[in-house]
Every structure is written in C-alpha cells, then in structure tokens.
Amino acid sequence: MIYPSIDKLLNTVSSKYELVHIAARRSKEMARDGHYQMRESAYHCSKNIGRALEEVLEGKIKVKKALN
C-alpha cells in the first residue's frame, strides 16, 4: 500500500494538480535546505517527495486559497 493515501491527501488539498505542485515545491526545499518539519524518525518515507506528502497529510503545510 502506498503511504500516504491519495484519498486522505485530497481531503486536505482540493485537486491532484495542486497536490503535485505543493509536494514538488516542498521536496525541492527539503533537498536545498535540509530542513524537515518533523523528526526524521517520524517519517515513513525515505525520499523527500514522500516526506513532503506526509507533511501535507499531517497538516504541517498549510494550503492558502487564492482570491479570484
């Protein structure tokens, strides 16, 4: 089973495209800065993209809604 589940993630983020954008940006930040929002032992995934998705699921990354 893939962790975190896409169904759970879509309860936090409104679309798959937005989720990909957020995870990619956060993954690049992790690679560049080496800063993680949780202890490294708390992550299930070993790669930054999975860790970014885990942070979204845990509510560590807040998604702002754009004003139209």
Side-chain angles (χ1 to χ4, degrees), residues 7-24:
D7 297 328
K8 291 180 182 177
L9 287 165
L10 287 178
N11 290 333
T12 306
V13 181
S14 60
S15 74
K16 293 178 188 177
Y17 304 106
E18 186 177 20
L19 179 63
V20 168
H21 180 72
I22 291 166

Side-chain angles (χ1 to χ4, degrees), residues 29-56:
E29 285 179 4
M30 288 176 174
R32 185 182 62 235
D33 301 336
H35 177 263
Y36 299 101
Q37 300 229 4
M38 302 188 304
R39 293 179 328 218
E40 289 197 47
S41 62
Y43 291 104
H44 291 108
C45 300
S46 60
K47 296 184 179 180
N48 286 341
I49 193 74
R51 289 179 176 188
L53 292 171
E54 287 183 48
E55 288 181 359
V56 170

